[in-house]
Short mmCIF file of all heavy atoms in Angstrom, two decimals:
data_model
loop_
_atom_site.label_atom_id
_atom_site.label_comp_id
_atom_site.label_asym_id
_atom_site.label_seq_id
_atom_site.Cartn_x
_atom_site.Cartn_y
_atom_site.Cartn_z
N VAL A 221 78.43 135.67 36.75
CA VAL A 221 77.22 135.80 35.95
C VAL A 221 77.27 134.82 34.81
O VAL A 221 78.30 134.80 34.09
CB VAL A 221 77.01 137.21 35.40
CG1 VAL A 221 75.87 137.37 34.45
CG2 VAL A 221 76.85 138.25 36.53
N ALA A 222 76.31 133.98 34.57
CA ALA A 222 76.23 133.04 33.53
C ALA A 222 75.07 133.33 32.65
O ALA A 222 73.99 133.63 33.09
CB ALA A 222 76.18 131.63 34.12
N VAL A 223 75.28 133.29 31.32
CA VAL A 223 74.26 133.36 30.31
C VAL A 223 74.18 132.07 29.47
O VAL A 223 75.21 131.49 29.31
CB VAL A 223 74.39 134.64 29.45
CG1 VAL A 223 74.39 135.90 30.27
CG2 VAL A 223 75.68 134.56 28.64
N THR A 224 73.05 131.81 28.95
CA THR A 224 72.94 130.61 28.05
C THR A 224 73.29 130.99 26.68
O THR A 224 73.29 132.15 26.25
CB THR A 224 71.51 130.02 28.07
OG1 THR A 224 70.63 130.97 27.47
CG2 THR A 224 71.09 129.72 29.51
N SER A 225 73.69 129.92 25.90
CA SER A 225 73.94 130.18 24.44
C SER A 225 72.71 130.78 23.76
O SER A 225 72.85 131.62 22.86
CB SER A 225 74.41 128.86 23.77
OG SER A 225 75.63 128.42 24.37
N GLY A 226 71.58 130.28 24.22
CA GLY A 226 70.29 130.71 23.62
C GLY A 226 70.01 132.18 23.76
O GLY A 226 69.54 132.86 22.86
N ILE A 227 70.43 132.74 24.88
CA ILE A 227 70.12 134.15 25.07
C ILE A 227 71.05 135.01 24.16
O ILE A 227 70.67 136.13 23.73
CB ILE A 227 70.32 134.59 26.59
CG1 ILE A 227 69.53 135.79 26.95
CG2 ILE A 227 71.84 134.80 26.88
CD1 ILE A 227 69.48 136.15 28.43
N MET A 228 72.21 134.53 23.93
CA MET A 228 73.23 135.33 23.09
C MET A 228 72.66 135.32 21.63
O MET A 228 72.95 136.27 20.88
CB MET A 228 74.56 134.63 23.11
CG MET A 228 75.17 134.54 24.47
SD MET A 228 75.73 136.13 25.13
CE MET A 228 77.22 136.37 24.25
N GLN A 229 71.88 134.34 21.26
CA GLN A 229 71.35 134.23 19.91
C GLN A 229 70.01 134.96 19.75
O GLN A 229 69.78 135.58 18.65
CB GLN A 229 71.08 132.81 19.52
CG GLN A 229 72.36 131.93 19.51
CD GLN A 229 72.10 130.47 19.38
OE1 GLN A 229 71.09 130.09 18.89
NE2 GLN A 229 73.06 129.64 19.77
N LEU A 230 69.22 135.01 20.81
CA LEU A 230 67.91 135.61 20.73
C LEU A 230 67.81 137.10 20.93
O LEU A 230 67.12 137.82 20.17
CB LEU A 230 66.92 134.93 21.73
CG LEU A 230 65.52 135.36 21.79
CD1 LEU A 230 64.77 134.97 20.51
CD2 LEU A 230 64.79 134.91 23.02
N LEU A 231 68.57 137.66 21.92
CA LEU A 231 68.36 139.03 22.29
C LEU A 231 69.37 139.92 21.55
O LEU A 231 70.46 139.58 21.22
CB LEU A 231 68.67 139.21 23.76
CG LEU A 231 67.80 138.36 24.75
CD1 LEU A 231 68.04 138.79 26.20
CD2 LEU A 231 66.31 138.53 24.39
N ASP A 232 68.91 141.20 21.26
CA ASP A 232 69.83 142.20 20.73
C ASP A 232 70.62 142.74 21.89
O ASP A 232 70.36 142.42 23.06
CB ASP A 232 69.10 143.30 19.95
CG ASP A 232 68.09 144.13 20.80
OD1 ASP A 232 68.39 144.36 21.96
OD2 ASP A 232 67.02 144.55 20.25
N GLU A 233 71.56 143.63 21.58
CA GLU A 233 72.47 144.08 22.60
C GLU A 233 71.80 144.89 23.63
O GLU A 233 72.22 144.85 24.83
CB GLU A 233 73.61 144.91 21.94
CG GLU A 233 74.75 145.16 22.94
CD GLU A 233 76.10 145.56 22.26
OE1 GLU A 233 76.37 145.01 21.16
OE2 GLU A 233 76.76 146.41 22.79
N HIS A 234 70.78 145.67 23.30
CA HIS A 234 70.08 146.52 24.26
C HIS A 234 69.31 145.57 25.27
O HIS A 234 69.29 145.78 26.45
CB HIS A 234 69.05 147.47 23.61
CG HIS A 234 69.73 148.52 22.81
ND1 HIS A 234 70.48 149.53 23.36
CD2 HIS A 234 69.80 148.73 21.51
CE1 HIS A 234 71.05 150.32 22.44
NE2 HIS A 234 70.54 149.89 21.25
N GLU A 235 68.67 144.56 24.73
CA GLU A 235 67.93 143.60 25.58
C GLU A 235 68.81 142.77 26.46
O GLU A 235 68.58 142.63 27.71
CB GLU A 235 67.09 142.67 24.63
CG GLU A 235 66.03 143.48 23.93
CD GLU A 235 65.46 142.65 22.73
OE1 GLU A 235 66.10 141.66 22.33
OE2 GLU A 235 64.50 143.10 22.14
N LEU A 236 69.97 142.37 25.94
CA LEU A 236 70.95 141.65 26.75
C LEU A 236 71.47 142.56 27.84
O LEU A 236 71.70 142.14 28.98
CB LEU A 236 72.12 141.23 25.81
CG LEU A 236 73.18 140.42 26.59
CD1 LEU A 236 72.69 139.15 27.21
CD2 LEU A 236 74.33 140.08 25.59
N ARG A 237 71.61 143.87 27.52
CA ARG A 237 72.04 144.84 28.55
C ARG A 237 70.99 144.90 29.72
O ARG A 237 71.43 145.01 30.93
CB ARG A 237 72.14 146.20 27.90
CG ARG A 237 72.66 147.36 28.77
CD ARG A 237 72.76 148.60 27.88
NE ARG A 237 73.02 149.82 28.70
CZ ARG A 237 74.23 150.17 29.04
NH1 ARG A 237 75.32 149.46 28.70
NH2 ARG A 237 74.36 151.28 29.74
N GLY A 238 69.74 144.84 29.39
CA GLY A 238 68.71 144.90 30.46
C GLY A 238 68.76 143.61 31.32
O GLY A 238 68.65 143.71 32.55
N VAL A 239 68.98 142.47 30.71
CA VAL A 239 69.12 141.22 31.47
C VAL A 239 70.36 141.25 32.39
O VAL A 239 70.28 140.89 33.59
CB VAL A 239 69.22 140.06 30.52
CG1 VAL A 239 69.62 138.75 31.27
CG2 VAL A 239 67.85 139.83 29.86
N LEU A 240 71.48 141.71 31.81
CA LEU A 240 72.71 141.74 32.66
C LEU A 240 72.61 142.74 33.78
O LEU A 240 73.15 142.51 34.88
CB LEU A 240 73.89 142.04 31.75
CG LEU A 240 74.25 140.88 30.75
CD1 LEU A 240 75.21 141.37 29.72
CD2 LEU A 240 74.77 139.70 31.52
N ALA A 241 71.92 143.83 33.58
CA ALA A 241 71.73 144.88 34.65
C ALA A 241 70.89 144.22 35.72
O ALA A 241 71.14 144.45 36.91
CB ALA A 241 71.00 146.11 34.05
N HIS A 242 69.87 143.47 35.37
CA HIS A 242 69.07 142.69 36.40
C HIS A 242 69.95 141.83 37.23
O HIS A 242 69.86 141.80 38.46
CB HIS A 242 68.02 141.96 35.64
CG HIS A 242 67.21 140.96 36.54
ND1 HIS A 242 65.95 141.20 37.00
CD2 HIS A 242 67.58 139.74 36.94
CE1 HIS A 242 65.59 140.16 37.72
NE2 HIS A 242 66.57 139.22 37.70
N GLU A 243 70.80 141.02 36.54
CA GLU A 243 71.60 140.09 37.32
C GLU A 243 72.65 140.77 38.16
O GLU A 243 72.93 140.37 39.31
CB GLU A 243 72.35 139.13 36.27
CG GLU A 243 71.41 138.22 35.57
CD GLU A 243 70.53 137.39 36.37
OE1 GLU A 243 70.89 137.09 37.56
OE2 GLU A 243 69.38 137.06 35.92
N LEU A 244 73.20 141.94 37.70
CA LEU A 244 74.15 142.67 38.50
C LEU A 244 73.48 143.35 39.64
O LEU A 244 74.09 143.56 40.70
CB LEU A 244 74.92 143.67 37.62
CG LEU A 244 75.86 142.98 36.58
CD1 LEU A 244 76.35 143.98 35.53
CD2 LEU A 244 77.08 142.40 37.37
N ALA A 245 72.20 143.72 39.49
CA ALA A 245 71.45 144.26 40.66
C ALA A 245 71.31 143.17 41.68
O ALA A 245 71.41 143.49 42.89
CB ALA A 245 70.08 144.71 40.20
N HIS A 246 71.12 141.98 41.30
CA HIS A 246 71.09 140.78 42.31
C HIS A 246 72.41 140.82 43.10
O HIS A 246 72.42 140.60 44.32
CB HIS A 246 70.91 139.46 41.63
CG HIS A 246 69.45 139.17 41.36
ND1 HIS A 246 68.48 139.23 42.34
CD2 HIS A 246 68.87 138.61 40.23
CE1 HIS A 246 67.32 138.89 41.74
NE2 HIS A 246 67.57 138.51 40.57
N VAL A 247 73.54 140.98 42.40
CA VAL A 247 74.85 140.98 43.01
C VAL A 247 74.99 142.09 43.96
O VAL A 247 75.36 141.95 45.14
CB VAL A 247 75.93 140.95 41.93
CG1 VAL A 247 77.31 141.09 42.64
CG2 VAL A 247 75.92 139.73 41.04
N LYS A 248 74.63 143.30 43.48
CA LYS A 248 74.76 144.50 44.32
C LYS A 248 73.91 144.46 45.58
O LYS A 248 74.27 144.96 46.66
CB LYS A 248 74.42 145.71 43.48
CG LYS A 248 74.79 147.03 44.13
CD LYS A 248 74.66 148.15 43.18
CE LYS A 248 75.04 149.50 43.80
NZ LYS A 248 76.51 149.50 44.16
#
Side-chain angles (χ1 to χ4, degrees):
V221 174
V223 298
T224 65
S225 297
I227 205 173
M228 304 288 282
Q229 299 169 21
L230 179 70
L231 302 187
D232 65 33
E233 191 161 322
H234 293 292
E235 293 159 351
L236 182 59
R237 181 179 173 85
V239 169
L240 292 168
H242 169 102
E243 296 305 332
L244 291 167
H246 276 314
V247 174
K248 193 170 182 64

